[in-house]
Amino acid sequence: SLYSFTDNIQSGIEYKYRLGVSAKSGSKCYYDTKSIKYHDNTPFTIYPNPSKGKIFVSMNGYVGPASFTVLNSMGKIVLVKEGASLFSSVELDISKQTAGIYWVKVKTLGGISIQSFIVL
């Protein structure tokens, strides 16, 4: 038989998967554990892009304090969020802003990175 699964993995984090098969008779069979680690050279990933104003920022394996600043195309700050990255995505909501191109500036202990995204 054919099996497929799609998971929302983040870059830089090792994930372990193990397939288990259950027969109608109740018997079970487990396959060996497999490790998957996706590498992305960007410091963080924004999704969905384009969006309707609510985006998520995945820190691609970074764990620690982080500051998130969203700027509009004129350079005006529309949102600031302080927090820590702990293997989960950070939600940024600018859905009350007008459509256009925006920038996310992320400041961590490793430096500052900037990426753009589009609000429809």
Side-chain angles (χ1 to χ4, degrees):
S1 60
L2 182 63
Y3 174 83
S4 69
F5 178 77
T6 303
D7 200 359
N8 184 19
I9 64 172
Q10 296 181 36
S11 177
I13 299 172
E14 183 176 5
Y15 293 85
K16 295 186 183 278
Y17 294 91
R18 184 175 184 194
L19 183 63
V21 179
S22 298
K24 289 182 182 180
S25 65
S27 63
K28 295 181 182 181
C29 174
Y30 294 96
Y31 290 85
D32 292 336
T33 301
K34 301 292 182 186
S35 296
I36 297 172
K37 189 171 186 177
Y38 170 71
H39 292 283
D40 186 352
N41 292 330
T42 59
F44 64 92
T45 303
I46 300 170
Y47 65 93
N49 188 13
S51 79
K52 294 189 184 282
K54 185 182 287 188
I55 61 165
F56 296 90
V57 179
S58 171
M59 294 303 294
N60 296 350
Y62 170 80
V63 176
S67 171
F68 304 88
T69 305
V70 178
L71 303 107
N72 65 16
S73 59
M74 301 298 291
K76 179 183 175 190
I77 295 173
V78 296
L79 177 74
V80 175
K81 186 170 187 175
E82 301 287 332
S85 173
L86 300 171
F87 297 115
S88 60
S89 298
V90 175
E91 180 182 324
L92 302 175
D93 187 355
I94 62 161
S95 54
K96 295 184 180 179
Q97 300 293 321
T98 60
I101 298 173
Y102 290 82
W103 300 88
V104 176
K105 178 171 75 170
V106 178
K107 182 178 179 182
T108 66
L109 296 175
I112 297 173
S113 298
I114 299 173
Q115 289 185 36
S116 64
F117 69 98
I118 298 171
V119 173
L120 300 175

